[in-house]
Amino acid sequence: HLLEVVKKREKDYGKVRAITMQLTTKEKQCRSTFYALKYWYPEARFPPVYFVIGAFNSGGTAGETGVYIGAEKQADAEGVPYVVAHELIHFQQKNWPENPTLLQQSIMEGVADFLGELISGRAGDDKAMAYGDQHEERLCEEFVRRMDGTDYQDWLYGVSGKDDRPNDLGYWMGYKITRQYFRNSPDKKQAVREMLNIKDHKDFLDKSGYLKKYMRAGK
């Protein structure tokens, strides 16, 4: 599959080659995210991180054997420490649900976005964040109607084109819920521990208070 993609997109690989050659210059910043996570979450596990040339299908993923960063998907080297931090958080997360609802998946991604920002000092998807904040009222009302289902369309990993929204607004929603939970918690380190070991995502949402007024309105 990789061979076929390379043949079809040879020019695209050529365009990103210079950036991929710069990624090692960010090793120190990537390692600093590990130290920052150790401060917030002393029981953290630190996997090997692999930078690989993929088929333009994933910017990063975490698995049992480590964290894998799609080098060809990085727009610039400056953002790499955040990408590593985001996947490092996924590596820590416990109790990932089977067949997660939109709410569950959005919170899991939002936790990785929020804590990734906390330990790297950089934010995630600027387009989703800007659009979400600009259309917050409408999106919150829509999300409450959709959150218990398993249809991710227009929220995660793809859009239908029904409006001008960018991809992955579920990350934005999960980030807002997680940030509010963190702000409400008197013990911030304990809050981080709870975020990485969520057992009840509805309870996590309720404690954050973020969508409370929209949920009341929908009843």
Side-chain angles (χ1 to χ4, degrees):
H1 173 65
L2 178 58
L3 176 60
E4 289 302 314
V5 175
V6 169
K7 287 179 178 177
K8 290 177 183 177
R9 302 186 62 173
E10 184 177 353
K11 290 182 179 179
D12 292 328
Y13 283 98
K15 290 176 183 177
V16 302
R17 181 174 176 79
I19 295 173
T20 66
M21 301 298 284
Q22 296 169 13
L23 300 186
T24 55
T25 65
K26 296 301 173 183
E27 181 178 352
K28 184 181 292 185
Q29 290 93 325
C30 289
R31 288 185 181 277
S32 72
T33 68
F34 284 46
Y35 290 112
L37 181 58
K38 186 72 173 177
Y39 167 79
W40 284 105
Y41 188 58
E43 53 265 55
R45 298 175 300 134
F46 298 101
V49 178
Y50 302 96
F51 290 85
V52 299
I53 302 296
F56 282 99
N57 57 342
S58 178
T61 189
E64 289 293 323
T65 55
V67 165
Y68 299 85
I69 307 300
E72 83 288 358
K73 290 277 285 182
Q74 306 310 312
D76 62 76
E78 293 302 316
V80 167
Y82 168 77
V83 177
V84 171
H86 179 97
E87 298 304 333
L88 178 62
I89 297 303
H90 278 323
F91 190 81
Q92 313 301 321
Q93 285 175 317
K94 307 292 194 305
N95 302 317
W96 199 293
E98 288 187 31
N99 302 314
T101 64
L102 176 59
L103 173 65
Q104 291 171 326
Q105 189 74 8
S106 296
I107 287 177
M108 298 300 277
E109 293 290 6
V111 166
D113 261 9
F114 177 78
L115 292 182
E117 179 182 353
L118 184 68
I119 64 176
S120 73
R122 287 183 62 98
D125 187 341
D126 293 337
K127 287 183 180 179
M129 287 289 179
Y131 186 94
D133 288 344
Q134 186 178 358
H135 301 87
E136 186 170 16
E137 194 84 10
R138 171 173 62 83
L139 291 171
C140 286
E141 291 172 354
E142 179 185 328
F143 187 83
V144 167
R145 295 194 299 270
R146 297 271 308 276
M147 66 182 186
D148 292 327
T150 55
D151 178 8
Y152 300 163
Q153 185 71 62
D154 294 321
W155 284 96
L156 291 168
Y157 320 130
V159 292
S160 63
K162 71 175 186 178
D163 53 26
D164 61 344
R165 72 180 64 192
N167 281 327
D168 295 335
L169 282 173
Y171 285 64
W172 165 79
M173 180 61 72
Y175 175 94
K176 300 285 275 193
I177 293 168
T178 303
R179 184 178 68 176
Q180 195 64 36
Y181 185 94
F182 185 79
R183 288 177 173 176
N184 290 346
S185 301
D187 185 336
K188 303 305 184 189
K189 285 188 175 181
Q190 178 60 27
V192 170
R193 184 173 292 104
E194 290 165 359
M195 290 174 194
L196 294 172
N197 296 274
I198 298 173
K199 294 181 174 62
D200 186 332
H201 294 76
K202 270 290 187 67
D203 182 62
F204 185 86
L205 171 63
D206 290 342
K207 287 178 178 176
S208 78
Y210 180 64
L211 292 174
K212 190 167 291 185
K213 72 172 184 176
Y214 303 98
M215 294 173 72
R216 283 201 300 264
K219 289 183 178 179

